[in-house]
Amino acid sequence: MGGDHGPHVTVPAALEFQARLPDVEVVLVGLRDAIEARLSGTNPRVRIHPASEVVAMDEPPAQALRYKKDSSMRVAVNLVKSGEAHACVSAGNTGALMAISRFVLKTLPAIDRPAIATVLPNSRRTNTYVLDLGANVDCGAEHLLQFGIMGAMLVAAVEHKERPSVGLLNIGVEDIKGNETVKQAGELLRSSGLNFYGNVEGDDIYKGTTDVVVCDGFVGNSVLKASEGVAKMLLSFLRNEFKRNPWRMAIAWLATPVFNALRERMDPGKYNGASLLGLRGIVIKSHGSADAFAFGQALGRAVDEVRNEVPQRIAQRMLQLQGPALPRSSVQ
Amino acid sequence: MGGDHGPHVTVPAALEFQARLPDVEVVLVGLRDAIEARLSGTNPRVRIHPASEVVAMDEPPAQALRYKKDSSMRVAVNLVKSGEAHACVSAGNTGALMAISRFVLKTLPAIDRPAIATVLPNSRRTNTYVLDLGANVDCGAEHLLQFGIMGAMLVAAVEHKERPSVGLLNIGVEDIKGNETVKQAGELLRSSGLNFYGNVEGDDIYKGTTDVVVCDGFVGNSVLKASEGVAKMLLSFLRNEFKRNPWRMAIAWLATPVFNALRERMDPGKYNGASLLGLRGIVIKSHGSADAFAFGQALGRAVDEVRNEVPQRIAQRMLQLQGPALPRSSVQ
């Protein structure tokens, strides 16, 4: 039900996804009437699971958590909790999704806080995974360590990399740089057994210096939004310059394949689907403005994480770090 | 002497600047031999002020401050202190320049910490001033308030705007968003008498939502470097796509004026010259990799700040905020 377009985008995306991956069963959770209105004819393989409420995009997360017990978001996360669904994908209110997921699913053993991770493109044509992107705005060194582990396990699982490299976002590459929290996090990461690269800077995200970049959620959120802003500004400058006169418009027409390639490469929809990591279950947040293609990418990410057992990998890695003190049975 | 190219860039830039602005007197501070080697023939209007040492680009700031009393950087800042120069421009080690400037010049009354401010382009074709960019990595709410005042006074002075708008970088536009420090800073800014817009997000820098964007130095530095990284990645994608075959190369050749316009607009050299604000004197930091054109821009910024009395404006505004308790004589 969530996102800027609700079922207008999520339902067609789900149908298309279902057709493409017939071994995946999609469950549409939300207001039955709204969903059915978007289902053109019957599709027996897409099931509707009704929910009577909808969390608004601007609703305070605490309110959504406390009062909307039958929201589509809450019901979908409940399905993950009960094991009826392997993952939940939502384009709705990020804060509410995080609050509900954390409350319903709980965090994995030894994980203090879940984090939001996303994939960004880089010059090496690989993927850079960045976390946290805004779930945590006052991170301690321990949290940053946990983000490093969660990010590395995500990459190990979905990119099939044995030992993904982890960078710590800082304002300089030297160990002495940064605030106290980051310095301590660097020490923890160095002795974590992860493939810790050391400090990286903002531009290293797009250079592809490391597979994972770890940062406080305030920093990660600001960096992500600023990056989107720069890309938009640059592309709009380019568009305006090419529209300046008919001659330039003709050149732009000739250059169509170049711009298509650029669009294909930089398309934020391609990278849609942020992972809520550290939970006892898989929850994927789609961008609110996602179109059907982008929402399909988020669905694909969910399936990827299910098949590659991301939460289980994180739990196992945390156990190794913590030693055998934690009971294995607590790992879902 | 500083930067990646030393006098190879700074001396030609100074000569060109001097020729362009004959009413400005440029003093070249550094190793006499190195400077004279770059001065082709005599130019009576460029004076050399000798200094026997050079701060290395990777030298710890504390070491430069303690042991290099006759470095070009220290001597140049001393000239500002003594009144012999109106401003100091350096392409050298940022941390050392900040440490030396702060030690020699001291901060303005009621300013706890200097900040680094720079200009970034935006879609509105105006300038966005962002601070702090890395001088302070653990800012309290009071510091963010001071940055807001310093930024607003800088814009008022050099852009001749009566009441520049000030935004507080946050991870959402609602007042309840962000960490405690940012929430408190929001309250302080709201009651500061500044034209406070409220919270802005990373992309607002490039949308040009406000004239000034205030943030912690860790965040600002990360955002700035990530922005540079995205822009570089995008342009390199574009370049590679246009080089893919001779046909595309021909189209790129036809599109040369477009790319020149884009380069002209996005040229980081054009925006070169970060201000060390909050000091009792004007110090401008040029990017280490600046070429002669870019270094000239930093020199221009210094002249602009001198002519528009930036430190005096900041001091006056702080006095208004603090009430008449502070003695006016302490304002340089």
Side-chain angles (χ1 to χ4, degrees):
Chain A
M1 302 303 299
D4 303 346
H5 314 293
H8 291 256
V9 156
T10 53
V11 173
L15 292 177
E16 192 280 328
F17 189 78
Q18 183 74 88
R20 197 153 43 88
L21 280 88
D23 57 334
V24 174
E25 192 195 343
V26 178
V27 184
L28 298 170
V29 184
L31 306 178
R32 186 182 285 278
D33 290 352
I35 296 171
E36 281 181 343
R38 305 306 308 171
L39 284 172
S40 49
T42 54
N43 185 320
R45 304 209 46 257
V46 174
R47 187 152 60 85
I48 299 178
H49 192 108
S52 63
E53 293 170 304
V54 174
V55 175
M57 290 303 273
D58 56 354
E59 196 163 340
Q63 184 180 311
L65 180 63
R66 207 164 303 162
Y67 302 112
K68 293 212 170 155
K69 300 276 165 72
D70 200 43
S71 69
S72 54
M73 200 180 264
R74 180 69 169 264
V75 172
V77 175
N78 282 342
L79 292 182
V80 176
K81 172 75 180 171
S82 69
E84 215 174 316
H86 287 95
C88 160
V89 181
S90 168
N93 182 324
T94 310
L97 183 64
M98 180 54 96
I100 289 171
S101 301
R102 194 175 173 174
F103 178 80
V104 172
L105 297 173
K106 313 294 180 213
T107 53
L108 289 165
I111 295 287
D112 295 320
R113 302 176 181 184
I116 303 177
T118 200
V119 176
L120 292 171
N122 65 49
S123 301
R124 291 193 186 178
R125 300 181 173 246
T126 60
N127 289 326
T128 306
Y129 288 75
V130 184
L131 74 167
D132 173 44
L133 293 172
N136 308 279
V137 292
D138 267 316
C139 296
E142 279 282 349
H143 302 128
L144 295 172
L145 168 65
Q146 292 170 19
F147 298 168
I149 292 168
M150 296 194 280
M153 292 307 102
L154 175 64
V155 175
V158 300
E159 303 267 347
H160 310 292
K161 281 204 173 183
E162 197 61 47
R163 279 174 59 71
S165 55
V166 176
L168 178 63
L169 190 66
N170 205 334
I171 60 168
V173 291
E174 306 87 352
D175 292 347
I176 54 146
K177 289 274 185 172
N179 54 33
E180 278 314 307
T181 305
V182 169
K183 283 184 216 170
Q184 282 173 30
E187 283 170 34
L188 292 176
L189 282 160
R190 232 179 304 281
S191 55
S192 66
L194 291 174
N195 179 12
F196 181 54
Y197 173 90
N199 290 335
V200 295
E201 299 183 80
D203 50 343
D204 286 302
I205 296 170
Y206 303 101
K207 283 182 187 164
T209 308
T210 56
D211 297 308
V212 178
V213 172
V214 168
C215 56
D216 174 278
F218 194 101
V219 178
N221 191 282
S222 302
V223 159
L224 183 71
K225 286 176 180 161
S227 300
E228 289 170 355
V230 170
K232 270 190 193 162
M233 177 182 65
L234 251 164
L235 295 176
S236 93
F237 279 168
L238 201 62
R239 203 175 302 118
N240 291 340
E241 284 299 328
F242 268 118
K243 279 186 181 164
R244 206 168 274 265
N245 59 48
W247 166 241
R248 285 194 180 177
M249 285 165 79
I251 298 168
W253 181 77
L254 291 173
T256 306
V258 170
F259 298 127
N260 286 347
L262 187 73
R263 194 171 303 126
E264 146 81 14
R265 176 66 81 76
M266 300 300 298
D267 180 12
K270 207 175 129 184
Y271 302 94
N272 188 39
S275 311
L276 272 54
L277 292 179
L279 297 166
R280 295 173 190 243
I282 294 168
V283 180
I284 303 291
K285 169 68 176 75
S286 158
H287 203 291
S289 68
D291 59 13
F293 166 75
F295 197 79
Q297 294 296 106
L299 290 169
R301 178 152 289 279
V303 171
D304 240 28
E305 295 198 10
V306 171
R307 294 204 166 131
N308 292 294
E309 304 188 318
V310 171
Q312 291 85 338
R313 279 179 183 249
I314 294 172
Q316 277 163 21
R317 195 67 187 67
M318 288 307 297
L319 269 176
Q320 286 167 23
L321 190 80
Q322 303 276 321
L326 280 164
R328 244 184 190 282
S329 61
S330 67
V331 182
Q332 211 179 33
Chain B
M1 303 302 300
D4 303 347
H5 314 292
H8 292 255
V9 155
T10 53
V11 173
L15 292 177
E16 192 279 328
F17 189 78
Q18 183 75 90
R20 196 152 44 89
L21 280 87
D23 57 334
V24 174
E25 192 194 342
V26 178
V27 184
L28 299 169
V29 183
L31 307 177
R32 186 182 285 279
D33 290 354
I35 296 170
E36 280 180 343
R38 304 305 311 171
L39 285 172
S40 50
T42 53
N43 185 322
R45 305 207 46 255
V46 174
R47 188 152 60 87
I48 300 178
H49 192 109
S52 63
E53 293 169 305
V54 175
V55 175
M57 290 302 273
D58 56 355
E59 197 163 339
Q63 184 181 311
L65 180 63
R66 208 165 302 162
Y67 302 113
K68 293 211 169 153
K69 299 278 165 73
D70 200 42
S71 69
S72 55
M73 201 180 264
R74 180 69 169 262
V75 173
V77 176
N78 283 342
L79 292 182
V80 176
K81 171 76 180 169
S82 68
E84 216 173 316
H86 287 96
C88 161
V89 181
S90 168
N93 182 322
T94 310
L97 183 63
M98 180 52 97
I100 289 170
S101 300
R102 193 174 173 174
F103 178 79
V104 172
L105 298 173
K106 313 293 181 215
T107 53
L108 289 165
I111 295 287
D112 296 320
R113 303 174 178 184
I116 303 177
T118 200
V119 176
L120 291 171
N122 65 48
S123 301
R124 291 194 188 175
R125 301 181 173 244
T126 61
N127 289 325
T128 306
Y129 288 76
V130 184
L131 74 166
D132 173 46
L133 294 172
N136 308 281
V137 290
D138 268 314
C139 295
E142 279 282 348
H143 302 127
L144 294 172
L145 167 67
Q146 292 170 19
F147 298 169
I149 293 168
M150 296 194 282
M153 293 306 103
L154 176 63
V155 174
V158 301
E159 302 268 348
H160 310 291
K161 282 204 176 185
E162 199 61 45
R163 279 173 60 71
S165 55
V166 177
L168 178 63
L169 190 66
N170 204 335
I171 61 168
V173 290
E174 305 87 353
D175 293 348
I176 55 146
K177 290 272 185 172
N179 54 34
E180 276 315 306
T181 306
V182 169
K183 283 184 217 171
Q184 282 173 29
E187 282 170 36
L188 291 176
L189 282 161
R190 231 178 305 280
S191 55
S192 67
L194 290 175
N195 179 12
F196 180 54
Y197 173 90
N199 290 335
V200 294
E201 300 183 80
D203 51 342
D204 286 303
I205 296 171
Y206 302 101
K207 282 183 188 165
T209 308
T210 56
D211 298 309
V212 178
V213 172
V214 169
C215 56
D216 173 281
F218 194 101
V219 177
N221 191 283
S222 301
V223 159
L224 183 71
K225 285 175 181 162
S227 300
E228 289 170 356
V230 170
K232 271 190 193 162
M233 178 182 64
L234 250 164
L235 296 175
S236 92
F237 279 168
L238 202 61
R239 203 176 301 117
N240 291 339
E241 284 298 330
F242 269 117
K243 280 186 181 164
R244 206 168 273 266
N245 59 48
W247 166 241
R248 285 194 180 178
M249 285 164 78
I251 298 168
W253 180 78
L254 290 173
T256 306
V258 171
F259 298 128
N260 286 347
L262 186 73
R263 195 172 301 126
E264 147 80 13
R265 175 67 80 79
M266 301 298 300
D267 179 11
K270 208 175 128 185
Y271 301 95
N272 189 38
S275 310
L276 273 55
L277 291 179
L279 297 165
R280 295 173 191 244
I282 293 167
V283 180
I284 304 290
K285 169 66 175 76
S286 159
H287 203 290
S289 67
D291 59 14
F293 166 76
F295 197 78
Q297 295 295 106
L299 291 169
R301 178 151 289 278
V303 171
D304 239 27
E305 294 198 9
V306 171
R307 293 203 167 133
N308 293 294
E309 305 189 317
V310 171
Q312 292 85 337
R313 279 180 184 248
I314 294 173
Q316 277 164 20
R317 194 67 186 68
M318 289 306 296
L319 268 176
Q320 285 167 21
L321 190 79
Q322 304 276 320
L326 280 164
R328 246 184 187 282
S329 61
S330 67
V331 183
Q332 212 178 32

